[in-house]
């Protein structure tokens, strides 16, 4: 699982932890500030251990997009996890962090086999990226409390953010990723 010995190499993916998802942003998520604090703890641990870190930044290019508009402060990576100049930032335009991006070649170049994934939104970019990582042969750990989402609506039913989040974590756990808390992950490394 989480081991730096042998042929396994771990990298951290910080997905879409951008200003528009925080209070005052164009698409505020439930629990984003708490998720970002956990993500910052993971980032610190990865930096301390010298393991690779990849920041994924979504830029909305589709007509009528309401958030993550290129050139706006809302699209900027949040200050709580701001990348260092030497760290890799990968821009994406789709929910899947691998789709039409340089993520896979970058991971291969670093000989990464295992991913630790966190960010937003649980039901969209996190779900899509975790499933894609599995299909590409990566072993993933998904940090549940370092992810956030929002209320959804299906027909006439409102689905609260905590229920959306729990459902997606439950669906991904086991088959697609080992889902755990930041505290549990950090206690194992």
């Amino acid at each position: 699982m989480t081991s730096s010995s042998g042929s396994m190499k771990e990298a951290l993916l910080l997905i879409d932890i951008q200003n528009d998802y925080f209070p005052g942003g164009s698409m505020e998520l439930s629990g984003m500030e708490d998720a970002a604090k956990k993500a910052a703890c993971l980032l610190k641990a990865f930096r301390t251990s010298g393991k690779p870190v990849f920041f994924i930044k979504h830029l909305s290019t589709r007509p009528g997009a309401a958030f993550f508009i290129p050139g706006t402060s809302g699209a900027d990576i949040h200050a709580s996890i701001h990348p260092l100049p030497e760290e890799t930032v990968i821009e994406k335009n789709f929910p899947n962090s691998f789709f039409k991006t340089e993520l896979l070649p970058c991971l291969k170049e670093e000989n990464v086999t295992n991913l630790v994934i966190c960010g937003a939104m649980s039901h969209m970019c996190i779900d899509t990226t975790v499933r894609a990582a599995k299909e590409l042969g990566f072993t993933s750990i998904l940090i549940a409390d370092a992810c956030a989402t929002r209320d959804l609506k299906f027909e006439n039913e409102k689905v609260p953010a905590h229920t959306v989040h729990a459902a997606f974590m439950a669906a991904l756990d086991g088959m697609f990723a080992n889902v755990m808390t930041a505290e549990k992950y950090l206690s194992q490394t």
Side-chain angles (χ1 to χ4, degrees):
M1 199 173 64
T2 55
S3 170
S4 56
S5 62
S7 60
M8 296 189 321
K9 185 172 181 186
E10 201 170 52
L12 177 63
L13 296 188
L14 298 142
I15 300 175
D16 301 355
I17 303 177
Q18 295 165 250
N19 291 335
D20 272 340
Y21 280 161
F22 286 80
S26 297
M27 180 56 73
E28 184 177 337
L29 301 184
S30 176
M32 190 66 215
E33 290 175 302
D34 290 338
K37 287 176 187 166
K38 301 289 186 182
C41 292
L42 295 166
L43 177 58
K44 182 179 179 186
F46 270 73
R47 285 174 171 165
T48 299
S49 67
K51 293 181 196 173
V53 174
F54 296 89
F55 296 82
I56 312 297
K57 178 181 177 179
H58 193 98
L59 294 175
S60 296
T61 54
R62 61 182 171 80
F67 61 100
F68 293 164
I69 309 300
T72 65
S73 62
D76 292 343
I77 294 173
H78 193 260
S80 63
I81 59 140
H82 195 73
L84 300 174
E86 67 274 15
E87 292 174 329
T88 304
V89 177
I90 293 174
E91 294 181 353
K92 69 178 177 66
N93 307 118
F94 301 95
N96 177 353
S97 298
F98 293 96
F99 186 63
K100 296 187 177 185
T101 71
E102 292 300 308
L103 180 57
L104 185 57
C106 288
L107 293 172
K108 284 183 173 179
E109 187 178 314
E110 292 273 351
N111 298 311
V112 171
T113 56
N114 294 27
L115 300 174
V116 176
I117 299 173
C118 64
M121 294 186 280
S122 306
H123 73 278
M124 185 63 68
C125 298
I126 296 299
D127 177 64
T128 309
T129 299
V130 167
R131 290 171 187 268
K134 173 72 173 179
E135 291 172 359
L136 291 167
F138 292 96
T139 299
S140 297
I141 295 174
L142 178 55
I143 309 298
D145 58 349
C147 294
T149 193
R150 62 186 178 94
D151 295 348
L152 294 180
K153 189 177 178 188
F154 180 69
E155 294 181 351
N156 294 321
E157 185 175 353
K158 181 182 176 195
V159 186
H162 66 89
T163 303
V164 173
H165 180 73
F168 276 84
M169 294 301 113
L172 292 169
D173 193 25
M175 177 60 74
F176 298 100
N178 183 358
V179 180
M180 65 180 69
T181 63
E183 183 180 20
K184 182 177 179 186
Y185 171 78
L186 292 168
S187 74
Q188 296 175 355
T189 56

